[in-house]
Amino acid sequence: RVAAPGSPKVNLLPQSAPDLVALLSAGSANTAHQALVEMEKASRAEGGRRSLVACADATPRLVALLASDRTEEARLACKTLASLATDPRGRLAINALPDAIPAVFSVLDSSDLEGQQSALMVIGNLVLDPPSRKRLAQTSGLLERLFASLASSDPKTLRFATGALRNLSVDPV
């Protein structure tokens, strides 16, 4: 990041997953936001994803952020969960939380296009495992939401919605 002219240069040290999760509860909204940005970046790499999945507090904190009234925080939390859901242990951690799917639905039902896309990625990744697929297929409102997403004119939204439906329909449940 480029510092504004005349401002001091700040060098950030890499943070461990537990440290980043702890910073989500920091008193400063800016610090919590930066921690969430770093978590989302870390979740894109296998090592970072593994570290976040291994941190017991990460998934519950991210799910709680999906209900944030700050759209960017909800979106970043959803993007991070979508990455974590590419890992079988991440899917288990998300599925273990009873409020996770309703929270993902709240982002999918929002007016934030990027948030909707991230929510579709979470769903599409969660249904990769047969037990998750069976449980999610029985979730009230899932198919209606996925079919509603097919009415979007946005190509990315269509791709993620069709991907979720494809993954959901891999085998009979």
Side-chain angles (χ1 to χ4, degrees):
R1 181 170 19 176
V2 177
S7 67
K9 182 178 178 183
V10 177
N11 290 320
L12 299 175
L13 298 174
Q15 299 291 312
S16 70
D19 289 342
L20 289 171
V21 172
L23 287 171
L24 291 178
S25 300
S28 162
N30 188 45
T31 299
H33 176 79
Q34 289 304 316
L36 187 54
V37 167
E38 292 305 315
M39 287 176 71
E40 192 275 326
K41 286 180 190 174
S43 73
R44 293 185 221 155
E46 187 177 340
R49 210 172 15 258
R50 239 192 335 251
S51 295
L52 288 169
V53 168
C55 181
D57 292 338
T59 305
R61 294 259 179 103
L62 289 166
V63 168
L65 284 170
L66 296 180
S68 174
D69 57 347
R70 293 190 303 261
T71 302
E72 174 127 7
E73 273 69 17
R75 180 187 316 130
L76 284 168
C78 204
K79 285 174 90 170
T80 306
L81 286 168
S83 292
L84 297 183
T86 62
D87 183 294
R89 291 163 300 167
R91 290 191 288 275
L92 284 173
I94 295 167
N95 280 318
L97 300 171
D99 55 339
I101 299 307
V104 170
F105 282 176
S106 71
V107 177
L108 183 57
D109 295 340
S110 75
S111 60
D112 177 43
L113 183 63
E114 285 184 62
Q116 292 169 6
Q117 293 165 352
S118 296
L120 289 166
M121 284 193 298
V122 172
I123 293 166
N125 290 339
L126 286 177
V127 298
L128 290 172
D129 291 326
S132 299
R133 192 167 33 253
K134 184 173 184 174
R135 188 174 82 79
L136 279 167
Q138 297 169 348
T139 302
S140 177
L142 174 68
L143 289 175
E144 293 83 355
R145 285 177 171 90
L146 292 176
F147 288 136
S149 296
L150 294 176
S152 175
S153 61
D154 178 69
K156 270 183 143 176
T157 302
L158 291 172
R159 183 178 54 190
F160 296 139
T162 56
L165 282 166
R166 180 193 60 237
N167 292 349
L168 187 62
S169 63
V170 166
D171 56 19
V173 288

